[in-house]
Amino acid sequence: MTAAHLTARRAGPLRGTVRAPGDKSISHRALILGALATGVTEIEGLLEGDDVKRTAAAMAAFGAGVERLGDGKWRVEGRGGFSEPADVVDCGNAGTGVRLIMGAAAGFDMAATFTGDASLRGRPMNRVLKPLGEMGATWLCKAGGRLPLTLKGGNLRHIVYTLPEPSAQVKSAVLLAGLHAEGGAEVIEPEATRDHTERMLRGFGAEIEVREAGAGRHIVLPGGQKLRGTRIHVPGDPSSAAFPLVAALVTPGSEVTVVGMLLNPLRIGLLETLGDMGADISVTNVRDEGGETVADVTARHSELEGVEVPPERAPSMIDEYPILAVAAAFAAGKTVMRGIGEMRVKESDRIALMAAGLAACGIGVEEEPETLTVIGAKRGNHLVGGGAGVTTHGDHRIAMSHLILGMAAEEPVSVDEPGMIATSFPGFVGMMRGLGAEIGEDQAVR
Ligand code: S3P
């Protein structure tokens, strides 16, 4: 049975070497492109979190052969396209899963009904439906473009689409639909977002052109392309590695190394920001693995300084602001995070929940529509208090961030719904305990 709460309390230094779980973004894409392709795709290092398992089940429902061969080793036999699923496709908590699969499914003449858990059913799908509608897809959905939703695809036309918000999910949905659109698709992104779809499409043999011009990055995908099955090695997820690394930075005496972490230039905003804050982080053994750069990253306890995070950095660290806010709580001075309105439409309203959680732990915070400011406690005699029970609204990153805070705060910190951590980081608690953290299932702090 999953515990109702988890509580983290201050213990000794954190020390050791760990491997981050497989990258969530790349894992979803590997399964989806594998199912769209013709032939076999062998995947190693797949993240076996709940979100990705939902995508694996969805790919089987759309007609692919999907088989788990062992720890992180999966085999997908693609049939060169999707067939109509027999039942509703439930994507659980996964925004990336449902949005990318809707894009892929729109290319085929069939109807598919999608749903998800309460959090996913509350999230906006209009951002994906708008371009898919322009391409010719139709749908029936709950008010405000919410799930459950039935999408009818096929006979798509060419689109040139400028992203209104920096979203790799929307970009990817349009590109995946474009694979089966007359004349393909062109996406223009004024701000660059993670480019795993573009890289992986090439790995599956697709022709795709990316050029910088005037208004931003133009991604041009000619239509009518066939994908061929391939081999994929999934690197360690920087969004998950962020938790043990920040835990080491804020816990005195600590030194933690994460091996095999993805260092894609569009995913390293947190490392840059922590560097600006004076974090002692070293990057070694930089290497290329399957078209992506990976490295081993070591973090040692550091006296951090508050910073202004450049807003243009937001797309390269959008999932890392919750844990950055924790690092900021232990820093000297203010950390100002502007231009992060997208945080409000993630698995929860992450600006509101981080502001509430940090305030409950005695940290000074200011919340504005698109900005979060954290007043670091390490000035004079102020310490990070802790001593709170935090409501996570079932958001895995809100839960992990507050547990890390509890590992270095004066008093323990509890989080509810800890089972949700498994959506992205199934081994989180075991890994952190292995490094020396004290996390228990005791009575929640109130
Ligand atoms: C993701 C893109 C981001 C990110 C999410 C994963 C992806 O979402 O927050 O966790 O894999 O494309 P948006 O595209 O909505 O910014």
Side-chain angles (χ1 to χ4, degrees):
M1 210 188 79
T2 321
H5 295 93
L6 279 180
T7 301
R9 50 176 37 84
R10 197 135 73 122
L14 303 172
R15 296 193 152 261
T17 297
V18 293
R19 178 170 287 279
D23 187 74
K24 183 153 73 75
S25 294
I26 294 180
S27 295
H28 282 297
R29 287 160 172 80
L31 291 166
I32 297 168
L33 292 188
L36 285 171
T38 303
V40 172
T41 292
E42 285 191 351
I43 309 169
E44 265 185 60
L46 189 87
L47 169 65
E48 295 183 330
D50 292 344
D51 277 14
V52 174
K53 288 199 238 164
R54 294 281 184 171
T55 291
M59 292 306 97
F62 279 104
V66 180
E67 200 186 339
R68 183 177 188 271
L69 305 176
D71 242 5
K73 275 190 126 189
W74 290 64
R75 180 181 189 276
V76 181
E77 183 151 9
R79 321 260 188 241
F82 282 4
S83 50
E84 193 165 271
D87 202 349
V88 173
V89 177
D90 185 346
C91 291
N93 192 242
T96 305
V98 76
R99 294 193 177 116
L100 269 59
I101 297 169
M102 284 200 292
F108 303 97
D109 182 12
M110 62 178 186
T113 302
F114 297 90
T115 193
D117 69 6
S119 153
L120 194 60
R121 292 196 308 273
R123 294 178 69 184
M125 296 299 142
N126 277 335
R127 49 179 58 198
V128 178
L129 295 173
K130 184 172 176 286
L132 296 181
E134 284 179 28
M135 296 174 88
T138 55
W139 61 86
L140 208 59
C141 65
K142 299 265 287 192
R146 314 271 152 174
L147 302 175
L149 174 161
T150 298
L151 184 75
K152 169 91 178 59
N155 295 318
L156 298 187
R157 9 175 216 279
H158 178 252
I159 189 173
V160 178
Y161 193 67
T162 303
L163 293 182
E165 59 282 301
S167 168
Q169 293 177 359
V170 178
K171 167 176 67 176
S172 302
V174 175
L175 292 174
L176 294 179
L179 277 175
H180 297 96
E182 179 85 48
E186 176 171 350
V187 180
I188 303 167
E189 43 175 15
E191 291 176 77
T193 66
R194 65 190 71 193
D195 59 355
H196 309 305
T197 303
E198 297 93 299
R199 286 173 188 254
M200 205 183 282
L201 277 168
R202 277 199 198 101
F204 275 85
E207 190 191 315
I208 181 165
E209 189 201 335
V210 181
R211 64 187 145 79
E212 305 288 335
R217 267 172 102 234
H218 292 240
I219 303 138
V220 182
L221 179 81
Q225 300 205 51
K226 299 256 177 292
L227 304 181
R228 284 186 313 275
T230 185
R231 296 177 83 89
I232 293 175
H233 181 89
V234 182
D237 195 328
S239 303
S240 298
F243 296 105
L245 292 175
V246 169
L249 293 176
V250 300
T251 309
S254 300
E255 176 170 331
V256 169
T257 298
V258 179
V259 296
M261 172 175 146
L262 174 69
L263 279 195
N264 178 306
L266 296 167
R267 297 284 300 279
I268 56 169
L270 177 71
L271 280 190
E272 290 170 345
T273 305
L274 292 172
D276 294 349
M277 295 173 84
D280 180 354
I281 293 182
S282 43
V283 175
T284 54
N285 199 9
V286 181
R287 54 208 186 264
D288 182 277
E289 272 183 22
E292 292 276 12
T293 304
V294 301
D296 303 338
V297 179
T298 301
R300 296 170 202 87
H301 174 250
S302 305
E303 297 300 332
L304 301 174
E305 293 283 335
V307 290
E308 290 245 354
V309 186
E312 61 276 11
R313 204 178 270 167
S316 68
M317 56 177 294
I318 193 65
D319 292 337
E320 283 73 81
Y321 283 97
I323 190 64
L324 173 65
V326 170
F330 288 89
K334 251 189 197 185
T335 295
V336 187
M337 301 165 238
R338 288 187 220 283
I340 57 171
E342 278 292 302
M343 289 255 290
R344 295 202 184 271
V345 290
K346 297 294 174 189
E347 287 82 330
S348 69
D349 177 344
R350 287 182 172 161
I351 298 183
L353 289 193
M354 284 314 297
L358 292 181
C361 291
I363 312 295
V365 282
E366 288 160 21
E367 181 190 344
E368 291 162 73
E370 306 232 338
T371 304
L372 179 65
T373 301
V374 176
I375 295 120
K378 272 257 175 72
R379 177 145 287 169
N381 289 324
H382 296 292
L383 294 165
V384 173
V390 172
T391 306
T392 65
H393 289 213
D395 186 327
H396 51 131
R397 297 198 203 280
I398 299 295
M400 289 186 277
S401 297
H402 285 97
L403 287 173
I404 301 291
L405 190 140
M407 287 172 205
E410 296 297 290
E411 299 294 332
V413 175
S414 307
V415 300
D416 66 354
E417 299 187 65
M420 292 304 286
I421 291 172
T423 60
S424 68
F425 201 154
F428 171 78
V429 174
M431 179 187 288
M432 294 312 302
R433 282 181 181 150
L435 291 170
E438 240 186 72
I439 306 180
E441 297 183 5
D442 33 348
Q443 192 72 34
V445 180
R446 292 197 194 280

